[in-house]
């Protein structure tokens, strides 16, 4: 009896010892998993932590594949966009010369004929000149080698000197002096040396489209009404032809030349009006930026800087703005009054003020200001 009790007690002690050992091993395994989890979390935070991280940085990171796709598509389709601009502009010019100009010469008075010929050809010359210069002129790039430039930073992508107002273009894969934006319709960046050509092209193209829309309004109404009559007569002709033999079908009321003329006038007016609205809004936007003495990129930078200083009770002032009137003179390169004619109203390949590497006070600025640190 006693031997059975001893054996039962020994078995129970062994069972309890096994349970304690299994519990210790289980707790040890749980502690190891917790340690590995905390260690991995600490490593991940040490690699990704950034005190400047905010919602904008997270969104930019999430949309980085979209940005990459847009950059590469824009780079390859730039030639297509340029060909589209040339093709559409050439079609409008061809319609004006083939369809509208003979009608103007037959019906308008000599004074109106002189006005249309003078203004139309001047506007066309300005459009062609500024578009050609905008797509062929380099916007300007900073030197890759280190030199005596002062107050410059280093581009994180080019690993090269980055002067003030210079930004990196991900499409061109280069830094651009006084970069405004990359324009796919030019297949070129808009920067220090071709910013004036770009804006002048937008301005004169808008003026030309408005001129065509206003001048061709009456013709458009007549052409649209004629097209509606064509559709109605065509419908009636088909209804009559359905009840007659082939030899009794009446001939078409409008000839092919008349149809082409009316449709060309409608095409011209619709295209010019659409471009005038879209390009006119873009031109007004850039005019406002030029008035404030900033580019499209600098607008966002200055807005954030203005908000940051406002929280500290300070007032932000753009160091590159010399006043509305002087900003326009600096942008257009007007040093003397006659330059408004020779450099603004006539084609002029003159260079802008400065080299884009430093920003000294231009000679045409009338108001002297205290120098400020560049942003």
């Amino acid at each position: 009896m006693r031997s059975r009790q001893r054996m039962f007690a020994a078995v129970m002690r062994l069972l309890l010892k096994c349970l304690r050992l299994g519990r210790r091993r289980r707790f040890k395994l749980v502690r190891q998993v917790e340690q590995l989890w905390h260690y991995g979390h600490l490593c991940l935070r040490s690699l990704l932590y950034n005190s400047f991280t905010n919602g904008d940085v997270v969104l930019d990171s999430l949309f980085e594949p979209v940005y990459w796709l847009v950059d590469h598509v824009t780079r390859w389709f730039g030639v297509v966009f340029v060909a589209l601009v040339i093709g559409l502009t050439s079609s409008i010019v061809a319609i004006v010369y083939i369809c509208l100009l003979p009608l103007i010469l037959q019906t308008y008075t000599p004074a109106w004929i002189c006005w249309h010929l003078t203004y139309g050809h001047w506007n066309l010359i300005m459009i062609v000149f500024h578009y050609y210069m905008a797509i062929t002129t380099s916007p300007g790039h900073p030197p890759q080698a280190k030199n005596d430039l002062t107050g410059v930073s280093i581009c994180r992508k080019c690993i090269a000197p980055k002067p003030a107002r210079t930004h990196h273009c991900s499409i061109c894969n280069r830094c651009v002096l006084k970069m405004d934006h990359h324009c796919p319709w030019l297949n070129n960046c808009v920067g220090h040396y071709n910013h004036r050509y770009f804006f002048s092209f937008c301005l004169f193209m808008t003026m030309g489209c408005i001129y065509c829309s206003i001048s061709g309004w009456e013709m458009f109404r007549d052409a649209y009404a004629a097209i509606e009559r064509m559709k109605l007569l065509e419908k009636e002709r088909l209804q009559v032809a359905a009840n007659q033999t082939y030899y009794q079908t009446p001939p078409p009321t409008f000839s092919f030349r008349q149809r082409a003329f009316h449709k060309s006038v409608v095409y011209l007016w619709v295209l010019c009006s659409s471009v005038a609205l879209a390009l006119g809004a873009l031109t007004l936007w850039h005019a406002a930026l030029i008035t404030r003495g900033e580019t499209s990129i600098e607008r966002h930078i200055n807005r954030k800087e203005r908000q940051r200083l406002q929280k500290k009770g300070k007032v932000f002032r753009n160091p590159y703005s010399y006043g509305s009137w002087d900003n326009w003179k600096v942008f257009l390169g007007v040093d003397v009054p006659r330059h408004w004619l020779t450099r603004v109203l006539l084609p002029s390949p003159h260079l802008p003020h400065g080299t884009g590497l430093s920003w000294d006070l231009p000679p045409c600025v009338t108001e002297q200001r205290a120098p400020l640190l560049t942003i």
Side-chain angles (χ1 to χ4, degrees):
M1 186 72 179
R2 290 181 178 177
S3 61
R4 291 181 179 177
Q5 291 178 353
R6 291 174 183 171
M7 186 179 297
F8 180 74
V11 172
M12 293 300 294
R13 285 196 297 271
L14 181 60
L15 182 61
L16 291 175
K17 188 179 293 185
C18 291
L19 290 175
R20 290 196 195 96
L21 183 61
R23 187 179 301 172
R24 290 177 182 174
R25 288 181 177 177
R26 187 168 64 252
F27 288 159
K28 186 177 181 181
L29 181 62
V30 172
R31 285 197 298 272
Q32 289 179 351
V33 172
E34 289 180 354
Q35 289 177 356
L36 289 175
W37 167 258
H38 290 302
Y39 179 74
H41 188 258
L42 180 61
C43 290
L44 187 63
R45 286 180 59 85
S46 65
L47 292 174
L48 301 179
Y49 177 75
N50 189 343
S51 59
F52 297 100
T53 301
N54 51 24
D56 295 336
V57 176
V58 174
L59 288 177
D60 290 341
S61 301
L62 293 176
F63 280 93
E64 188 64 29
V66 180
Y67 298 150
W68 180 89
L69 181 63
V70 171
D71 291 345
H72 284 71
V73 169
T74 304
R75 183 182 306 170
W76 288 106
F77 276 83
V79 179
V80 178
F81 291 151
V82 171
L84 187 62
V85 171
I86 296 174
L88 292 177
T89 307
S90 301
S91 66
I92 295 299
V93 174
I95 291 173
V96 170
Y97 274 102
I98 297 175
C99 300
L100 302 186
L101 186 59
L103 187 62
I104 290 174
L105 295 177
Q106 293 175 5
T107 57
Y108 283 26
T109 61
W112 276 110
I113 291 176
C114 293
W115 155 252
H116 284 291
L117 291 178
T118 303
Y119 178 81
H121 286 89
W122 169 78
N123 203 338
L124 178 62
I125 291 173
M126 298 298 285
I127 290 173
V128 173
F129 170 79
H130 287 102
Y131 187 69
Y132 175 78
M133 295 299 293
I135 62 178
T136 57
T137 303
S138 173
H141 306 284
Q144 296 296 316
K146 295 183 178 180
N147 47 24
D148 297 333
L149 293 177
T150 59
V152 300
S153 59
I154 301 297
C155 178
R156 294 178 297 178
K157 298 181 180 180
C158 295
I159 315 300
K162 183 180 177 182
R165 310 188 80 178
T166 300
H167 299 280
H168 187 88
C169 176
S170 57
I171 300 175
C172 298
N173 199 24
R174 295 187 65 180
C175 282
V176 177
L177 298 176
K178 192 192 170 187
M179 179 180 175
D180 188 272
H181 69 288
H182 184 94
C183 181
W185 301 102
L186 301 179
N187 194 28
N188 196 7
C189 267
V190 177
H192 178 62
Y193 288 103
N194 64 348
H195 193 182
R196 178 178 65 88
Y197 298 132
F198 165 77
F199 177 79
S200 298
F201 164 72
C202 293
L203 177 63
F204 289 112
M205 179 64 81
T206 303
M207 292 171 56
C209 291
I210 294 174
Y211 163 74
C212 291
S213 299
I214 295 176
S215 301
W217 169 244
E218 295 296 333
M219 296 181 184
F220 165 74
R221 292 178 57 184
D222 296 339
Y224 186 80
I227 292 177
E228 291 298 322
R229 290 196 303 271
M230 289 181 196
K231 294 180 180 179
L232 182 61
L233 293 176
E234 184 70 18
K235 184 177 180 181
E236 294 178 355
R237 189 180 68 86
L238 293 176
Q239 290 176 354
V240 172
N243 300 324
Q244 296 177 351
T245 62
Y246 177 78
Y247 297 101
Q248 295 174 332
T249 302
T253 307
F254 291 90
S255 64
F256 173 79
R257 184 175 181 179
Q258 291 173 329
R259 292 170 182 267
F261 174 83
H262 295 309
K263 291 181 179 180
S264 298
V265 172
V266 172
Y267 164 78
L268 179 144
W269 193 89
V270 172
L271 180 61
C272 289
S273 300
S274 303
V275 173
L277 290 176
L279 194 59
L282 179 65
T283 305
L284 291 176
W285 163 257
H286 280 279
L289 294 177
I290 295 169
T291 304
R292 294 196 295 264
E294 58 188 10
T295 62
S296 300
I297 298 177
E298 291 173 351
R299 176 185 177 275
H300 300 285
I301 298 175
N302 294 345
R303 182 181 60 182
K304 292 182 179 180
E305 187 68 12
R306 189 178 294 106
Q307 293 174 354
R308 185 183 70 84
L309 293 178
Q310 188 176 6
K311 294 179 181 178
K312 297 182 179 182
K314 299 180 180 179
V315 178
F316 170 79
R317 183 167 65 85
N318 183 10
Y320 308 112
S321 178
Y322 311 105
S324 301
W325 182 248
D326 286 336
N327 286 337
W328 279 101
K329 291 171 62 178
V330 171
F331 177 78
L332 298 174
V334 177
D335 297 329
V336 294
R338 62 181 175 85
H339 285 167
W340 289 105
L341 174 63
T342 58
R343 293 187 173 185
V344 179
L345 297 180
L346 294 177
S348 175
H350 66 277
L351 297 176
H353 288 291
T355 61
L357 302 176
S358 60
W359 299 96
D360 300 328
L361 194 67
C364 61
V365 175
T366 57
E367 180 182 358
Q368 301 291 330
R369 291 192 174 189
L372 295 178
L373 293 178
T374 59
I375 297 176

